[in-house]
Amino acid sequence: MRHSRHYSLAITLFLLLVSTTTHAKIPAQKKHRSLAYQFLVPQNAARSAVKLRSLVWDTKLEQYAKSYANQRRNDCALEHSKGPYGENIFWGSGTGWKPAQAVKAWVEEVQWYNYSENSCADGQMCGHYTQIVWNTTTKVGCASVTCIDDKGTFMTCNYDPPGNYYGERPY
């Protein structure tokens, strides 16, 4: 599959942002803002690469994400909440996972998305990426939990309005 020039720009911007956001020293009193920042900045870089307006952080969506992430704390299962919002979920083995790493995994799906055919490559996923760059989505809220008994780290982001409508292009 031929990659778009947006892919190269998106990955370059994203890798730059991941390297700066995951290593930044942020005072403990700004931890809450820091978590939002770590989720929001790389998603907005992906949106900027395709000339979309930035998402804004929404505390209602954040609370929804926190509530659902806490439900997954016991099993760390990659199951969607089936709620009213768009949703991306991530699981990583062990601890120490950063929000930017989850977003990186979602954004890297751009390599499997073919805009001209509005489809993913056979056998690949790209719906996490297309949710991030869904044109009508304006708000996001996310959460991260460490699961019990060393089951890993679970992260989720919820989007409003949701995207990924069958037959529609993200942008």
Side-chain angles (χ1 to χ4, degrees), residues 5-15 45-46 49-50 107 110 129:
R5 65 187 166 112
H6 295 301
Y7 170 74
S8 297
L9 177 59
I11 294 300
T12 301
L13 286 171
F14 185 76
L15 292 174
V50 291
V107 171
V110 66
Y129 167 72

Side-chain angles (χ1 to χ4, degrees), residues 63-85:
Q63 289 305 314
Y64 182 89
K66 281 182 181 179
S67 175
Y68 186 64
N70 283 320
Q71 291 175 43
R72 296 272 61 96
R73 190 181 293 272
N74 290 326
D75 60 12
C76 234
L78 274 176
E79 296 176 12
H80 285 280
S81 69
K82 299 182 178 82
Y85 306 113

Side-chain angles (χ1 to χ4, degrees), residues 26-73:
I26 298 170
Q29 68 269 23
K30 294 186 179 182
K31 184 176 182 179
H32 173 76
R33 193 170 122 205
S34 167
L35 186 71
Y37 176 85
Q38 288 181 50
F39 275 114
L40 194 58
V41 169
Q43 291 187 77
N44 282 335
R47 290 176 66 85
S48 177
V50 291
K51 300 184 181 357
L52 295 176
R53 68 187 174 282
S54 294
L55 296 172
V56 296
W57 191 259
D58 184 86
T59 55
K60 179 180 172 185
L61 293 172
E62 177 186 20
Q63 289 305 314
Y64 182 89
K66 281 182 181 179
S67 175
Y68 186 64
N70 283 320
Q71 291 175 43
R72 296 272 61 96
R73 190 181 293 272

